[in-house]
């Protein structure tokens, strides 16, 4: 009997586990944006096998159903540690063509699963007008791919094919009012990489918005053409000056993949399928922001500009002397929250007050920093009696009403009972401030020890010490001029300065790489190590990085008298770093090895290159 029960249990467990999968769902997969005249795929997927009665939605007249539904199946079964997991999906595929411009909603589809009807979600699709420059807008293309064109090697990449816009959410603001600055990429070519530095925002307090490192491109119709676009970077700016402030143009460098035109099959195969990479400089436009001054600032203005509220709380209103009182003030809102001053709490004069502790919980939005600022004030009463903490005032400039507003918290009535010890005594930490003040007025310091008196008629004028006061500064001034001129002559030789600082710059970069190694950030680590190697040899040989290659590095090192073995080690370090970045295996061990190798080769190179 026990054997029969055990056998039934073993047979039932996989069935139970298979049925314990997630509840069946019907999902829809389609592009958010398509182009008029283009074909695109629409798919409905259900994660169950026991299905029937699939009902497609009623497609809007703006779409022509070219094919479908045609089904595809996927089955997978895994047994891990005795647990059986089974996955079965069925997908219903359609091929549609967009016929009209506009935004349309595809209603929900439905299907019966295990006798229960389930529905997909309705989804919206935006249909863009065709690209005016497209040669064949009616050709078979998927998901609006007509916005991408193939570049052949040697063809010119125009500023209309690849550019970056700079837009500000506002161009006329008040001082300290938040501005959202957005850099957006528009491309019709195969953009592989993009490099650019943060702009120099003079006159602004700047905070960068955290965006995903993996960029997602969408299609957008812009000035008669369809582009692949993505928001590259965003900054929230708080103007610190009034007048016309300029956001300067910045230069990006893009790497674009171009198609090589060749009839040689082997040349095309062994050279990456005929693809070459070319660089393109992209300059963003300048922007001008008109900053108006705030109206005449009232007394007690906190510096806050935006929309705020304030509240307070206290841990107790009835305590004994020498017990701590904690008053919390919470400022909530949106604006320049990092730049507001801490509100003043007017504690009774004889309270011992400590520096406030601030806790900020902010997040960046287009209107500035949004969140809360919590300030904790700690005070200790030293005398018994009844005291009042008056309301805490907070004055800010409200952008909605264009006026100053003053917010107040409630007042607190304190009852302080007599605790242990004599409150009239001056305690060791001198917290009885009234008593200390009285002592300072009544008792003066009495000088102790012998008093030195100078004989009558003896003067400092004309003595050796008198003349040394003039001679020594003159000598020091001349020495300073000589040293300064010598330093200026040395710094005038830019190449020599760069050569001297090459090791220092490389060490700084390697220190950052070591930090990235500890955080196991692979891509950032290899980028920093390669910058250290290329930057070091560029500074040491006085050759711009853009003109460096492994061949001319080897030639120049031989010219400087570096041994062939050390030259080979340096080139090997470059190759090893580039290879390890994409090599499979133990990433941590590979990064440790590369880091050690680079440290050794730069150290040896520093001893070998003499100027």
């Amino acid at each position: 009997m026990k054997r029969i029960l055990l056998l039934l249990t073993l047979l039932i467990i996989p069935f139970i586990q298979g049925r314990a999968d997630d509840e069946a769902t019907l999902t829809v997969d389609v592009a958010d944006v398509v182009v008029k005249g283009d074909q695109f795929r629409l798919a409905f997927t259900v994660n169950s096998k026991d299905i029937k009665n699939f009902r497609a939605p009623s497609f809007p007249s703006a779409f022509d159903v070219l094919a479908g539904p045609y089904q595809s199946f996927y089955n997978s079964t895994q047994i891990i540690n005795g647990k059986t997991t089974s996955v079965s999906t069925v997908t219903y595929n359609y091929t549609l063509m967009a016929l009209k411009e506009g935004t349309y909603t595809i209603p929900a589809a439905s299907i019966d699963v295990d006798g229960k009807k389930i529905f997909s979600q309705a989804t919206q699709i935006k249909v863009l007008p065709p690209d005016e420059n497209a040669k064949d807008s009616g050709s078979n293309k998927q998901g609006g791919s007509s916005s991408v064109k193939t570049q052949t090697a040697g063809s010119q990449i125009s500023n209309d094919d690849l550019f970056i816009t700079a837009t500000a959410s506002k161009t006329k603001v008040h001082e300290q009012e938040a501005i959202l600055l957005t850099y957006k990429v528009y491309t019709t070519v195969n953009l592989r990489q993009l490099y650019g530095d943060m702009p120099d925002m003079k006159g602004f307090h700047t905070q960068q918005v955290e965006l995903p490192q993996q960029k997602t491109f969408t299609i957008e119709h812009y000035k008669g053409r369809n582009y692949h676009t993505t928001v590259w970077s965003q900054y929230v700016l708080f103007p610190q000056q009034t007048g016309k402030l300029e956001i300067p143009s910045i230069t990006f460098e893009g790497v674009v993949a171009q198609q090589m035109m060749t009839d040689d099959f082997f040349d095309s195969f062994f050279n990456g399928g005929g693809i070459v990479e070319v660089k393109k400089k992209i300059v963003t436009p300048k922007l001008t922001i008109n900053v108006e001054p705030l109206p005449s600032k009232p007394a007690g203005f906190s510096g806050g500009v935006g929309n705020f509220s304030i509240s307070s709380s206290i841990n107790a209103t009835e305590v004994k002397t020498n017990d701590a009182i904690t008053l919390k003030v919470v400022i909530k809102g949106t604006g320049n929250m990092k730049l507001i001053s801490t509100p003043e709490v007017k504690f009774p004069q004889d309270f011992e007050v400590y520096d406030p502790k601030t806790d900020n919980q902010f997040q960046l939005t287009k209107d500035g920093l949004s969140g809360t600022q919590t300030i904790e004030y700690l005070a200790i009463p030293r005398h018994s009696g009844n005291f009042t903490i008056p309301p805490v005032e907070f004055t800010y400039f409200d952008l909605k009403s264009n006026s100053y507003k003053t917010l107040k918290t409630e007042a607190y009535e304190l009852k302080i009972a007599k605790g242990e010890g004599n409150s009239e005594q001056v305690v060791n930490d001198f917290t009885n401030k009234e008593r200390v003040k009285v002592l300072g007025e009544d008792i003066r310091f009495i000088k102790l020890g012998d008093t030195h008196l100078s004989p009558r008629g003896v003067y400092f004028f004309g003595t050796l010490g008198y003349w040394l006061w003039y001679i020594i500064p003159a000598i020091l001034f001349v020495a300073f001029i000589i040293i300064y001129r010598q330093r200026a002559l040395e710094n005038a030789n830019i190449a020599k300065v760069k050569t001297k600082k090459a090791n220092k710059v490389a060490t700084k970069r390697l220190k950052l790489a070591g930090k990235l190694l500890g955080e196991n950030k692979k891509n950032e680590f290899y980028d920093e190590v390669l910058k250290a190697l290329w930057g070091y040899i560029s500074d040491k040989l006085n050759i711009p990085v853009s003109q460096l290659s492994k061949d001319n590095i080897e030639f120049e090192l031989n010219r400087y008298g570096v041994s062939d073995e050390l030259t080979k080690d340096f080139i090997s370090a470059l190759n090893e770093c580039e290879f390890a970045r994409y090599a499979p295996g133990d990433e941590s061990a590979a990064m440790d090895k590369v880091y050690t190798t680079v440290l050794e080769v730069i150290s040896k190179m520093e001893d070998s290159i003499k100027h």
Side-chain angles (χ1 to χ4, degrees):
M1 185 65 181
K2 290 183 179 180
R3 290 182 179 180
I4 295 175
L5 289 174
L6 178 61
L7 180 60
L8 288 173
T9 302
L10 293 175
L11 290 174
I12 291 172
I13 286 176
F15 174 77
I16 294 174
Q17 290 176 335
R19 301 294 293 181
D21 293 339
D22 294 336
E23 186 178 353
T25 57
L26 180 61
T27 59
V28 58
D29 180 23
V30 67
D32 296 330
V33 181
V34 298
V35 178
K36 177 183 175 182
D38 280 4
Q39 299 176 16
F40 61 96
R41 173 179 171 268
L42 172 67
F44 296 97
T45 302
V46 59
N47 57 340
S48 178
K49 289 191 298 185
D50 186 12
I51 58 175
K52 59 182 178 180
N53 298 334
F54 172 75
R55 293 186 180 180
S58 177
F59 294 104
S61 60
F63 301 112
D64 187 14
V65 181
L66 302 180
Y70 44 93
Q71 299 181 27
S72 59
F73 301 90
Y74 174 80
N75 293 297
S76 174
T77 302
Q78 290 182 333
I79 301 176
I80 301 175
N81 296 329
K83 181 179 181 181
T84 302
T85 304
S86 179
V87 177
S88 298
T89 61
V90 180
T91 302
Y92 297 87
N93 298 281
Y94 290 86
T95 301
L96 307 179
M97 176 181 284
L99 303 177
K100 296 180 183 178
E101 302 167 16
T103 302
Y104 304 95
T105 299
I106 294 182
S110 66
I111 195 169
D112 293 337
V113 179
D114 296 332
K116 180 182 178 182
K117 188 180 292 294
I118 62 174
F119 297 87
S120 67
Q121 289 187 343
T123 183
Q124 277 194 342
I125 300 178
K126 186 176 183 180
V127 181
L128 301 177
D131 194 328
E132 292 179 359
N133 294 345
K135 294 181 179 179
D136 185 12
S137 61
S139 59
N140 292 336
K141 296 166 184 175
Q142 296 294 324
S145 61
S146 59
S147 61
V148 177
K149 66 181 182 181
T150 302
Q151 292 279 336
T152 57
S155 63
Q156 184 69 26
I157 304 171
S158 71
N159 292 334
D160 291 331
D161 296 331
L162 176 60
F163 59 91
I164 299 176
T165 61
T167 56
S169 59
K170 307 168 190 173
T171 56
K172 186 177 180 181
V173 295
H174 284 95
E175 183 183 356
Q176 296 288 351
E177 184 177 352
I179 306 165
L180 180 65
L181 175 64
T182 302
Y183 289 95
K184 193 173 184 179
V185 179
Y186 289 78
T187 179
T188 62
V189 295
N190 190 358
L191 181 64
R192 292 281 183 88
Q193 292 177 318
L194 188 64
Y195 304 97
D197 296 325
M198 177 179 173
D200 184 13
M201 303 294 187
K202 293 182 179 178
F204 295 96
H205 174 78
T206 306
Q207 287 198 259
Q208 185 171 4
V209 179
E210 291 292 334
L211 296 176
Q213 290 188 350
Q214 190 68 31
K215 303 299 181 184
T216 302
F217 284 82
T218 58
I219 302 174
E220 182 179 326
H221 194 78
Y222 183 78
K223 293 185 178 179
R225 298 186 66 183
N226 291 323
Y227 291 91
H228 282 282
T229 67
T230 187
V231 174
W232 189 257
S233 58
Q234 286 185 317
Y235 304 89
V236 176
L237 312 179
F238 299 94
Q240 304 297 300
Q241 303 172 4
T242 59
K244 291 187 176 181
L245 299 184
E246 184 180 88
I247 298 175
S249 62
I250 56 176
T251 301
F252 288 84
E253 185 174 78
V255 179
V256 178
Q258 289 188 334
Q259 183 75 38
M260 287 181 59
M261 300 300 293
T262 177
D263 297 329
D264 189 339
F265 170 77
F266 292 99
D267 182 54
S268 175
F269 180 80
F270 289 106
N271 287 282
I275 299 295
V276 296
E277 292 184 344
V278 296
K279 293 182 179 179
K280 165 74 173 175
K281 288 194 179 296
I282 312 162
V283 180
T284 65
K286 296 180 181 178
L287 296 177
T288 301
I289 308 296
N290 294 310
V291 183
E292 297 180 351
L294 295 174
S296 180
K297 299 172 183 176
F301 176 53
S302 65
V305 175
N307 184 25
F308 305 98
S309 63
I310 189 171
S311 61
S312 67
S313 62
I314 195 169
N315 66 328
T317 56
E318 297 184 6
V319 297
K320 295 181 179 181
T321 55
N322 302 321
D323 288 344
I325 295 174
T326 302
L327 176 66
K328 283 187 180 181
V329 175
V330 179
I331 301 173
K332 183 183 295 185
T334 301
N336 60 338
M337 295 199 69
K338 269 192 176 180
L339 304 177
I340 60 179
S341 58
T342 304
E344 180 185 2
V345 178
K346 297 178 180 179
F347 286 100
Q349 184 178 2
D350 205 39
F351 279 39
E352 180 183 0
V353 182
Y354 294 85
D355 291 336
K357 183 174 69 174
T358 303
D359 178 33
N360 297 322
Q361 299 291 333
F362 302 145
Q363 62 180 6
L364 276 173
T365 67
K366 66 177 183 178
D367 296 319
L369 288 168
S370 180
T372 60
Q373 184 181 85
T374 304
I375 308 112
E376 284 192 13
Y377 302 84
L378 180 66
I380 299 177
R382 297 302 183 184
H383 288 80
S384 59
N386 295 329
F387 301 92
T388 301
I389 299 178
V392 179
E393 296 186 355
F394 178 76
T395 302
Y396 72 98
F397 184 78
D398 183 64
L399 292 172
K400 293 182 179 179
S401 61
N402 282 332
S403 62
Y404 290 100
K405 288 188 176 180
T406 299
L407 306 177
K408 294 183 179 181
T409 65
E410 60 179 308
Y412 294 101
E413 300 293 334
L414 305 181
K415 294 182 179 180
I416 311 300
K418 186 176 180 181
E420 296 181 359
N422 187 356
S423 62
E424 294 299 323
Q425 294 177 349
V426 181
V427 295
N428 292 334
D429 56 0
F430 300 103
T431 54
N432 192 329
K433 298 178 181 178
E434 292 181 358
R435 189 66 174 271
V436 172
K437 183 177 179 181
V438 172
L439 288 174
E441 293 175 353
D442 292 350
I443 303 176
R444 302 300 180 189
F445 177 73
I446 300 174
K447 188 173 181 180
L448 304 176
D450 297 332
T451 301
H452 178 72
L453 302 175
S454 298
R456 185 176 181 181
V458 177
Y459 303 101
F460 180 68
F461 177 77
T463 63
L464 177 62
Y466 172 82
W467 292 112
L468 287 177
W469 273 105
Y470 287 95
I471 295 173
I472 291 176
I475 294 174
L476 292 175
F477 178 74
V478 172
F480 171 77
I481 293 296
I482 294 172
I483 294 172
Y484 177 78
R485 286 177 59 83
Q486 185 178 358
R487 292 282 179 87
L489 291 173
E490 290 179 356
N491 291 334
N493 189 343
I494 298 175
K496 187 174 181 181
V497 171
K498 289 179 67 177
T499 301
K500 284 185 175 181
K501 293 184 177 180
N503 185 49
K504 185 177 180 181
V505 174
T507 302
K508 186 177 180 181
R509 284 173 173 160
L510 287 175
K511 187 178 292 184
L512 177 57
K515 183 179 178 182
L516 295 170
L517 171 64
E519 297 173 356
N520 201 24
K521 294 183 178 179
K522 180 180 177 183
N523 291 336
E524 292 86 345
F525 168 78
Y526 285 117
D527 284 343
E528 205 61 37
V529 172
L530 283 171
K531 285 180 185 178
L533 286 170
W534 285 104
Y536 172 80
I537 206 66
S538 169
D539 292 340
K540 209 67 178 175
L541 300 180
N542 194 27
I543 300 175
V545 176
S546 59
Q547 299 178 14
L548 280 178
S549 67
K550 294 175 184 176
D551 292 334
N552 63 12
I553 288 176
E554 186 174 357
F555 174 78
E556 291 293 332
L557 289 177
N558 289 334
R559 193 166 67 86
Y560 276 90
V562 178
S563 65
D564 293 340
E565 182 181 355
L566 183 53
T567 301
K568 183 179 179 182
D569 290 343
F570 188 85
I571 300 298
S572 297
L574 282 172
N575 293 333
E576 185 178 352
C577 185
E578 292 172 351
F579 173 78
R581 182 175 185 177
Y582 303 102
D586 187 352
E587 295 181 357
S588 179
M591 290 163 68
D592 286 335
K593 181 181 178 184
V594 167
Y595 188 70
T596 304
T597 302
V598 171
L599 285 175
E600 292 178 356
V601 77
I602 289 181
S603 178
K604 292 178 181 178
M605 193 67 69
E606 187 67 18
D607 295 333
S608 298
I609 297 181
K610 305 296 183 182
H611 290 271

